[in-house]
Amino acid sequence: MITNAEIAKMLSQTADLLEIKGENPFKVRAYKNAAKLIENSSKDFDKLVKEGFDLTRLPGIGKDLSAAIKEIVTIGKFPKLEKLKEEIPQGLVDMLSIEGLGPKRIKQIYDAFHITSLDELKKYAESGEFDKLPGFGEKLIQKILKGVKQLKKAGIRFLWAEVEEFAEDLREYLKSFDGIEIVEIAGSYRRKKETVGDLDILAVAKDYPKIIEYFTKYPKIKEIQSAGLTRSTVFLENDLQVDLRAVSSESYGAALHYFTGSKSHNIEIRKIAIEKGMKVNEYGVYKDNKKIAGKSEKEVYESVGLCYMEPEIRENRGEIEACFSKSLPKLIEIKDIKGDLNIASELIDEALNLGYKYVGVSEKIKRDDILVYKMLEVDVNNFEIKEDYDFLVGITNENSTTENILKALKKIDFLRFFRDIKAKKELNIDYEKVFNEMKNKNVILEVVSRPNNLISEVLIKAAIDKGVKISIVSNAKNKKELNFIEYGINQARRGWAETGDVINTNNLF
Ligand code: DGT
Ligand code: CA
Ligand code: CA
């Protein structure tokens, strides 16, 4: 399912890129108009296409655009746009998101100086070169410089686990403010997303301006970008951006809902409210201009006829439909975990201390107080088994192919997928085929909890939907890393995992 907004965005991006390329202005205009038409239409274009509606009957939609829209709906992306993105230097595409720089000005700058990166853009803007260009005044140049700065910061994302310590320390700091009522960290941090762009903190306090002032005195702040009466943005020592908003307790629930996101979840909720003649914003839920909810999140959801949804699943991936069909998952929790099937052998005593009933290690060890399984790890690309084992764990690496994996699935009991989040590297395989075969052969998906190696929640969900079971493991090499399991659980929750989907929640294993 693709939304009108998403289709419109692809078409308008295509128009921008065509314009930067210097394409025929009529063509550019046609794409822009189509984007506007779709964005403002009350009809669902995804549905229109699927019902076989003849799009050329709409004003301004010719044969080419009709084919383009059909392609977008059918395959979820627009190949022409992908191709344009490949042709046009990334720097120029990035410049489009700078306020004040549209395709015309970007082309103007490119034609004059052949600039293709943000760094060059900054250099030229600072050196006064742009003064020579018609229409480039001091105000615009300052805007461009501010935009470059923001864009560069926006590019940095942190692993959730990397910001945890900072976030929790800051939470404690704010909680110690005199007169504080509530502190909550919303945004992607609350949704436990594997990476976090910035922190969005909400505070309810009797004295608004004073909490802002107190916040800006947090010792780990490197730079204060802004500090107003009710909101402030700062950068911490590690370059992490933090936004703080002071809100009233009357609208706390609405603010928490709004700033927890995700944006696309919020948009869907607002649509549902509108259908019922209501309005939802960060201050509350309104009907006939009267506020009917806002104090708690639960109230916000219920007032528009929806169920409360856990932050981890607020990604517009079917949670709203699941609420309507009463099939929302009851997400797994840390207390459900009964064992950890991937730890270093030296950690068995620690695991016992955690209350685990069984563990998996790489050696054969016999103990009376805890069940110890020998997990033999093999490279799926090529392996021979020469040892005894209890379970065989197939390990993939960057070069593993669908074929390698399908072959290995005949022998292995567990499968671990390669992923390096920071390096943006992951397997390029046919996951659907692999999950189907895992289900057939009863092979368990091993979810490694190392923050940089977490399998994506989308894949966890897809595997579970096929009936594949998962095992959440810490992969701990030392005592501290046994707690990594929390990250794996977060990701599994984002993948809609329930206790029954996770094998190491079971006592009898
Ligand atoms: P991040 O920081 O990139 O990891 O992701 P988020 O989800 O924390 O996003 P952020 O920090 O830009 O905004 C925090 C929340 O505020 C977001 O999840 C939803 C809400 N929000 C921000 N902008 C918009 C918007 O334009 N429309 C709506 N409906 N909600 C928004
Ligand atoms: Ca955020
Ligand atoms: Ca933010």
Side-chain angles (χ1 to χ4, degrees), residues 385-442:
I385 307 158
K386 292 183 189 142
E387 287 170 65
D388 242 12
Y389 60 83
D390 293 312
F391 295 109
L392 204 54
V393 186
I395 313 288
T396 56
N397 62 34
E398 258 179 282
N399 308 315
S400 299
T401 61
T402 309
E403 227 178 17
N404 290 151
I405 297 172
L406 291 177
K407 205 170 139 213
L409 287 177
K410 295 193 174 102
K411 303 226 170 71
I412 60 180
D413 305 299
F414 291 77
L415 178 62
R416 182 188 310 166
F417 290 106
F418 164 83
R419 189 169 181 223
D420 183 336
I421 296 178
K422 288 225 131 168
K424 295 204 166 85
K425 282 186 187 166
E426 55 196 323
L427 289 171
N428 182 15
I429 56 166
D430 185 341
Y431 283 101
E432 189 172 345
K433 232 183 202 165
V434 170
F435 291 149
N436 280 331
E437 195 54 14
M438 286 174 80
K439 168 68 184 157
N440 283 340
K441 298 276 188 303
N442 272 320

Side-chain angles (χ1 to χ4, degrees), residues 197-200 241-243 245 259:
D198 68 3
L199 293 180
D200 307 278
Q241 180 182 328
V242 185
D243 297 335
R245 290 177 185 81
F259 291 109

Side-chain angles (χ1 to χ4, degrees), residues 485-504:
I485 202 135
E486 182 202 336
Y487 307 131
I489 289 171
N490 288 345
Q491 193 76 327
R493 286 169 63 86
R494 289 178 55 80
W496 295 41
E498 302 189 300
T499 316
D501 301 313
V502 184
I503 58 150
N504 53 320

Side-chain angles (χ1 to χ4, degrees), residues 17 20 42 51 71 81 88 112 164 182 213 225 244 258 260 309-311 322 343 379 404 417 445 469 502 505:
L17 297 186
I20 293 179
S42 58
E51 284 168 355
E71 208 169 11
L81 173 61
I88 297 171
E164 183 182 16
I182 305 173
E213 191 193 326
Q225 192 182 71
L244 178 79
Y258 181 90
T260 295
M309 293 170 219
E310 307 266 15
I343 66 169
D379 176 354
N404 290 151
F417 290 106
L445 168 62
K469 300 283 181 219
V502 184
T505 56

Side-chain angles (χ1 to χ4, degrees), residues 26-214:
F26 291 104
K27 201 166 159 187
V28 173
R29 180 128 304 269
Y31 273 99
K32 276 190 188 160
N33 289 342
K36 216 175 266 163
L37 174 92
I38 295 173
E39 181 150 31
N40 296 327
S41 173
S42 58
K43 295 194 191 73
D44 192 340
F45 272 70
D46 185 284
K47 220 165 122 201
L48 286 183
V49 169
K50 285 174 185 161
E51 284 168 355
F53 178 83
D54 178 8
L55 297 173
T56 60
R57 284 169 51 192
L58 299 169
I61 307 274
K63 251 171 59 194
D64 288 354
L65 271 163
S66 159
I69 298 163
K70 276 189 200 153
E71 208 169 11
I72 293 173
V73 168
T74 321
I75 62 174
K77 55 184 176 191
F78 190 26
K80 188 183 171 103
L81 173 61
E82 304 297 318
K83 206 168 142 246
L84 280 167
K85 280 184 182 165
E86 272 169 34
E87 277 172 34
I88 297 171
Q90 183 59 40
L92 296 183
V93 179
D94 292 344
M95 286 176 205
L96 278 170
S97 40
I98 293 177
E99 211 192 310
L101 276 190
K104 273 200 194 69
R105 286 191 170 134
I106 295 173
K107 183 165 163 34
Q108 209 182 344
I109 294 173
Y110 178 78
D111 288 345
F113 307 109
H114 285 278
I115 290 173
T116 57
S117 74
L118 292 178
D119 284 329
E120 286 169 303
L121 181 70
K122 181 165 178 268
K123 214 175 80 196
Y124 277 75
E126 281 170 345
S127 69
E129 291 281 344
F130 290 168
D131 297 350
K132 298 174 196 150
L133 293 174
F136 279 66
E138 189 50 30
K139 235 179 164 171
L140 176 61
I141 291 169
Q142 285 313 318
K143 232 183 191 173
I144 293 173
L145 285 170
K146 196 176 156 203
V148 171
K149 199 174 162 193
Q150 274 174 354
L151 211 60
K152 285 187 135 185
K153 273 175 178 155
I156 316 171
R157 291 190 71 83
F158 296 78
L159 292 175
W160 190 92
E162 281 175 339
V163 306
E164 183 182 16
E165 219 180 290
F166 284 87
E168 297 307 326
D169 187 67
L170 181 51
R171 189 202 298 267
E172 286 316 306
Y173 172 81
L174 291 169
K175 272 187 171 169
S176 64
F177 175 70
D178 199 25
I180 192 86
E181 285 165 26
I182 305 173
V183 178
E184 186 58 282
I185 309 172
S188 51
Y189 183 79
R190 183 162 179 246
R191 302 197 314 279
K192 310 280 168 68
K193 198 171 160 178
E194 63 193 20
T195 63
V196 169
D198 68 3
L199 293 180
D200 307 278
I201 307 187
L202 300 179
V204 178
K206 288 203 185 70
D207 196 338
Y208 269 19
K210 283 239 173 70
I211 179 75
I212 298 290
E213 191 193 326
Y214 179 76

Side-chain angles (χ1 to χ4, degrees), residues 268-468:
E268 288 306 306
I269 303 285
R270 247 179 293 155
K271 263 196 217 153
I272 287 172
I274 289 169
E275 281 165 16
K276 297 192 166 164
M278 293 185 252
K279 196 180 126 192
V280 181
N281 60 28
E282 68 249 60
Y283 302 106
V285 182
Y286 299 83
K287 185 160 193 170
D288 306 324
N289 286 323
K290 243 189 76 198
K291 186 161 167 175
I292 57 164
K295 240 178 133 52
S296 76
E297 264 190 332
K298 196 162 165 271
E299 214 182 85
V300 170
Y301 279 110
E302 286 173 359
S303 66
V304 296
L306 285 168
C307 338
Y308 175 79
M309 293 170 219
E310 307 266 15
E312 289 92 329
I313 63 166
R314 299 184 196 168
E315 298 289 349
N316 193 20
R317 295 198 187 116
E319 66 274 18
I320 291 156
E321 293 83 345
C323 160
F324 287 138
S325 63
K326 299 198 163 51
S327 55
L328 274 173
K330 189 180 174 308
L331 302 179
I332 181 190
E333 292 175 43
I334 185 114
K335 66 170 171 49
D336 300 325
I337 295 291
K338 300 276 160 49
D340 185 340
L341 288 170
N342 181 342
I343 66 169
S345 335
E346 311 85 79
L347 299 173
I348 299 178
D349 286 333
E350 303 290 350
L352 196 59
N353 282 340
L354 287 174
Y356 289 163
K357 306 279 186 273
Y358 49 86
V359 291
V361 301
S362 63
E363 309 161 50
K364 194 93 196 157
I365 294 174
K366 176 91 187 84
R367 296 202 25 166
D368 304 326
D369 47 0
I370 186 167
L371 254 170
V372 182
Y373 294 106
K374 176 174 174 182
M375 316 293 290
L376 181 63
E377 297 189 356
V378 294
D379 176 354
V380 295
N381 300 1
N382 185 10
F383 66 91
E384 244 181 277
I385 307 158
K386 292 183 189 142
E387 287 170 65
D388 242 12
Y389 60 83
D390 293 312
F391 295 109
L392 204 54
V393 186
I395 313 288
T396 56
N397 62 34
E398 258 179 282
N399 308 315
S400 299
T401 61
T402 309
E403 227 178 17
N404 290 151
I405 297 172
L406 291 177
K407 205 170 139 213
L409 287 177
K410 295 193 174 102
K411 303 226 170 71
I412 60 180
D413 305 299
F414 291 77
L415 178 62
R416 182 188 310 166
F417 290 106
F418 164 83
R419 189 169 181 223
D420 183 336
I421 296 178
K422 288 225 131 168
K424 295 204 166 85
K425 282 186 187 166
E426 55 196 323
L427 289 171
N428 182 15
I429 56 166
D430 185 341
Y431 283 101
E432 189 172 345
K433 232 183 202 165
V434 170
F435 291 149
N436 280 331
E437 195 54 14
M438 286 174 80
K439 168 68 184 157
N440 283 340
K441 298 276 188 303
N442 272 320
V443 175
I444 293 158
L445 168 62
E446 192 192 62
V447 173
V448 175
S449 302
R450 285 193 176 270
N452 190 41
N453 304 121
L454 288 163
I455 177 175
S456 98
E457 72 270 28
V458 177
L459 290 176
I460 294 179
K461 186 164 188 282
I464 290 175
D465 283 345
K466 298 254 181 224
V468 173

